[in-house]
Amino acid sequence: MMDLQAKFTELCLHYTKDRNLIEGLWLEIEKKYSGKGRHYHNLFHLESMFLELESAERYIKDYHTVSFSVFYHDVIYDATSKSNEEKSASYAVERLQKIGLNPDMISKIEAQILATKSHHKSDDMDTNYLLDADLSILGKDFDIYSDYTRKIRKEYSIYPDILYKPGRKKVLKHFLELESIFKTEHFRDRYEQQARENLAAELKLL
């Protein structure tokens, strides 16, 4: 298990020496991602994203910015809400101002978090690496992918199948209709083909 707290602390120490502040911010993150309904969007998801990004680190211009975006991109997560990304971005802005990040960097992080809503290709390549890491689960072995779909279903357990299945089908078709699910060559080469097979297989099962 990756030590996410150590990773967060090390990242923050570049901008503030206030360890009490850093610890407080980390405890907030830990609590949010460990919430009762977090079957997939939890600390393990953050760890997985960091492992994916480490493999692409040489291509990423501003790794600090992308790292903050990973930590905060799902900090607010409510299956019944359509504004999780907006709320997570606002939450991040407020917290990162306390650390003393410069406004340009905070704006970039805010934009990156908002980009995880639609997953459209960005003009900013760092954002594309973040989006691809977020979706990398789609291209894993089918057993791992199936486990992910079960966890997502649990997060949406408030909705009966009659409502859940049409919504899920729409999401799967949206991804399959994209020219490319992954925006970067690095992730496309690794996961595109398997992701398309997984999505098509799930669509059949629904």
Side-chain angles (χ1 to χ4, degrees):
M1 182 86 180
M2 183 185 285
D3 190 340
L4 289 172
Q5 181 173 4
K7 199 171 185 68
F8 183 74
T9 302
E10 187 190 346
L11 182 63
C12 291
L13 283 170
H14 289 280
Y15 305 95
T16 178
K17 299 303 174 205
D18 186 342
R19 285 182 176 268
N20 288 333
L21 171 63
I22 295 170
E23 188 181 5
L25 293 175
W26 166 254
L27 290 172
E28 284 183 342
I29 289 171
E30 187 177 48
K31 188 177 177 186
K32 293 282 187 188
Y33 283 95
S34 304
K36 195 172 156 221
R38 301 271 193 148
H39 302 284
Y40 174 72
H41 293 92
N42 51 28
L43 292 170
F44 185 70
H45 172 53
L46 299 191
E47 185 183 335
S48 301
M49 282 183 71
F50 277 118
L51 289 171
E52 293 293 341
L53 288 167
E54 279 172 11
S55 72
E57 190 170 351
R58 62 192 178 279
Y59 307 119
I60 296 169
K61 280 185 192 164
D62 187 347
Y63 202 72
H64 284 187
T65 292
V66 172
S67 296
F68 276 121
S69 294
V70 172
F71 278 117
Y72 282 103
H73 81 289
D74 283 326
V75 73
I76 305 295
Y77 188 79
D78 173 3
T80 64
S81 173
K82 286 186 164 54
S83 56
N84 288 321
E85 293 81 5
E86 290 86 350
K87 287 173 185 169
S88 293
S90 297
Y91 187 100
V93 168
E94 192 187 319
R95 292 335 189 251
L96 296 173
Q97 282 169 346
K98 291 180 183 178
I99 301 174
L101 268 65
N102 72 59
D104 286 350
M105 192 173 178
I106 291 176
S107 293
K108 274 177 90 174
I109 293 162
E110 182 180 21
Q112 286 178 352
I113 293 170
L114 290 172
T116 64
K117 189 179 182 84
S118 61
H119 277 273
H120 292 311
K121 189 168 185 176
S122 172
D123 293 335
D124 175 62
M125 280 310 289
D126 280 4
T127 301
N128 290 329
Y129 281 105
L130 174 78
L131 298 178
D132 281 358
D134 196 24
L135 292 183
S136 60
I137 188 72
L138 302 183
K140 300 290 183 179
D141 291 345
F142 190 67
D143 285 352
I144 296 170
Y145 177 82
S146 298
D147 183 57
Y148 146 77
T149 63
R150 283 192 291 273
K151 286 171 178 171
I152 291 292
R153 182 65 186 101
K154 274 174 133 178
E155 288 188 341
Y156 284 88
S157 60
I158 187 169
Y159 298 108
D161 278 354
I162 197 166
L163 291 176
Y164 178 77
K165 285 186 176 182
R168 183 69 184 168
K169 281 181 184 174
K170 194 176 169 186
V171 169
L172 299 176
K173 283 176 181 169
H174 162 73
F175 281 122
L176 286 168
E177 283 164 8
L178 294 173
E179 188 183 334
S180 175
I181 294 165
F182 295 96
K183 282 94 181 141
T184 65
E185 193 179 339
H186 174 80
F187 282 100
R188 212 165 26 242
D189 290 348
R190 282 182 156 207
Y191 296 129
E192 185 77 24
Q193 189 179 347
Q194 183 68 47
R196 289 189 173 276
E197 288 172 17
N198 289 341
L199 293 165
E202 187 190 350
L203 202 51
K204 275 186 182 172
L205 292 170
L206 289 168

